[in-house]
């Protein structure tokens, strides 16, 4: 019992509190330029990139109340090569380093059809604290995105987070993105979380919904609006609180500015429910953003 609450408290204390738009390293596959672009937003249309929504790569961050439940993973669209009849597999790499944690992720993606993207990822990570020592974790994720039109795509995703072998989490969800206007994109999803087998006998689950709107003012400036909440929850031990990732509603907005084609910053305010008082309180949102070169 003490170990459970110590771990939960530790994750709050060590959480970084900011999501990242993660840059990826691409391979050198020769690509054929597609006749039909598959944009998700105005700037991704220019670079031929796509933004995947993957579960957070750091379980320490995943245990805290979140601004958004996803990492935004920017990658270049893979296309069939001229000298191969089979769709190539494009490999990408992600690194995440903080003061007390680090992770390394490999992402594989392929397009068996011009409007179907398949992707999977595997993450290995390490967290080190002065109280509990070193802890290792791994995250597996897979999904598919289907482009109904250049402006609209829908996807499914699922995965497993070992969470140090203490409170593993399964997840499955549906995500979608729609470009209402060349300058306006909305995306969101419905995600189901379920605790795996654990030594505490804890069995919790939640169905979460989230929504994100992004408006392009010009090539360098964007406005963002966020919102999300649980729509259903289950807890076999009512005396224990729901895990933070499963019960925190949030809403707010931010301003996004890109200094150049690869580096930007996002700043704003997000209202989130305080786990102690139960009241909605404002918190700053500040993060650096990166994307592949065009």
């Amino acid at each position: 019992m003490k170990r459970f609450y110590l771990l939960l408290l530790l994750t709050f204390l060590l959480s970084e509190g900011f999501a990242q738009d993660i840059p990826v390293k691409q391979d050198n596959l020769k690509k054929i330029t597609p006749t039909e672009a598959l944009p998700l937003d105005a700037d991704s249309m220019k670079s031929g990139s796509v933004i995947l929504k993957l579960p957070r790569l750091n379980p320490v961050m995943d245990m805290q109340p979140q601004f958004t439940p996803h990492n935004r993973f920017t990658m270049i669209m893979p296309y069939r090569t001229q000298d191969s009849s089979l769709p190539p597999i494009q490999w990408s790499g992600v690194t995440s380093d903080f003061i007390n944690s680090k992770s390394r992720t490999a992402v594989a993606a392929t397009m068996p059809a011009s409007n179907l993207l398949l992707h999977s990822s595997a993450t290995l990570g390490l967290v080190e604290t002065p109280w509990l020592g070193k802890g290792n974790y791994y995250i597996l994720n897979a999904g598919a995105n289907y482009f109904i039109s250049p402006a609209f795509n829908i996807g499914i995703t699922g995965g497993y987070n070992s969470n140090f072998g203490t409170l593993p989490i399964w997840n499955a969800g549906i995500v979608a993105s729609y470009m209402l206007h060349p300058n306006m994109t909305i995306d969101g999803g419905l995600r189901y979380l379920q605790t795996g087998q654990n030594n505490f006998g804890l069995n919790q689950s939640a169905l979460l919904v989230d929504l994100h709107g992004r408006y392009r003012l010009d090539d360098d400036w964007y406005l963002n609006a966020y919102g999300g909440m649980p729509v259903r929850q289950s807890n076999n031990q009512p005396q224990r609180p729901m895990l933070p990732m499963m019960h925190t509603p949030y809403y707010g907005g931010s301003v996004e500015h890109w200094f150049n084609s690869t580096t930007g910053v996002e700043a704003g305010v997000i209202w989130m429910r305080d786990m102690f008082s139960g009241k909605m309180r404002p918190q700053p949102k500040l993060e650096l953003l990166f994307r592949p070169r065009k």
Side-chain angles (χ1 to χ4, degrees), residues 16-291:
E16 305 299 332
F18 302 111
Q20 291 185 326
D21 194 355
I22 304 176
V24 299
K25 298 179 181 179
Q26 304 295 340
D27 59 15
N28 294 320
L29 288 175
K30 184 179 179 181
K31 299 187 286 288
I32 300 175
T33 303
T35 56
E36 183 179 24
L38 299 174
L40 282 184
D41 50 37
D43 54 344
S44 70
M45 180 168 52
K46 296 177 183 178
S47 63
S49 62
V50 62
I51 297 177
L52 300 180
K53 284 182 156 186
L54 299 180
R56 292 180 176 276
L57 304 181
N58 188 336
V60 171
M61 296 178 67
D62 201 36
M63 288 294 291
Q64 69 164 351
Q66 299 168 12
F67 298 140
T68 132
H70 306 284
N71 273 121
R72 292 181 296 171
F73 186 100
T74 304
M75 61 172 291
I76 300 298
M77 298 284 287
Y79 295 107
R80 198 181 300 266
T81 57
Q82 291 178 336
D83 55 354
S84 175
S85 59
L86 298 176
I89 297 177
Q90 177 174 286
W91 293 92
S92 305
V94 179
T95 63
S96 177
D97 292 290
F98 296 97
I99 296 175
N100 58 353
S101 65
K102 61 182 63 178
S103 68
R104 300 294 182 266
T105 301
V107 179
T110 186
M111 293 192 72
S114 61
N115 57 352
L116 178 62
L117 174 69
L118 305 178
H119 60 85
S120 63
S121 66
T123 298
L124 296 177
L126 170 69
V127 174
E128 186 173 7
T129 69
W131 299 283
L132 300 178
K134 295 182 179 180
N136 298 285
Y137 65 90
Y138 64 90
I139 302 172
L140 304 176
N141 190 77
N145 283 64
Y146 182 76
F147 296 84
I148 298 174
S149 73
F152 178 52
N153 83 84
I154 188 169
I156 57 174
T157 183
Y160 175 78
N161 188 334
S162 72
N163 205 16
F164 308 103
T166 304
L167 277 173
I169 301 292
W170 293 91
N171 74 83
I174 301 174
V175 296
S177 177
Y178 182 59
M179 184 183 292
L180 296 170
H181 181 271
N183 294 330
M184 179 67 184
T185 302
I186 59 172
D187 60 82
L190 192 65
R191 192 170 61 132
Y192 177 77
L193 296 179
Q194 171 72 57
T195 55
Q197 184 176 1
N198 58 82
N199 295 330
F200 309 104
L202 187 65
N203 185 4
Q204 294 186 357
S205 64
L207 186 64
L208 310 173
V209 62
D210 69 276
L211 190 65
H212 168 224
R214 188 169 186 250
Y215 184 77
R216 175 180 176 270
L217 298 174
D218 57 36
D219 288 344
D220 300 325
W221 292 92
Y222 297 80
L223 299 178
N224 293 278
Y226 297 93
M229 62 180 294
V231 293
R232 187 177 66 83
Q233 297 172 319
S234 175
N235 186 0
N236 71 327
Q237 300 180 18
Q239 72 278 12
R240 288 183 173 177
M242 293 290 295
L243 296 174
M245 71 185 79
M246 294 189 179
H247 82 269
T248 303
Y250 65 93
Y251 58 86
S254 67
V255 177
E256 180 182 337
H257 176 63
W258 289 89
F259 302 107
N260 51 50
S261 61
T262 61
T263 309
V265 66
E266 183 179 351
V269 178
I270 305 292
W271 278 261
M272 305 169 65
R273 178 170 292 167
D274 187 282
M275 65 173 295
F276 299 106
S277 67
K279 297 181 179 180
M280 299 295 289
R281 298 187 182 278
Q283 295 191 26
K285 175 180 173 63
L286 179 63
E287 58 182 299
L288 291 174
L289 306 174
F290 303 95
R291 61 190 174 197

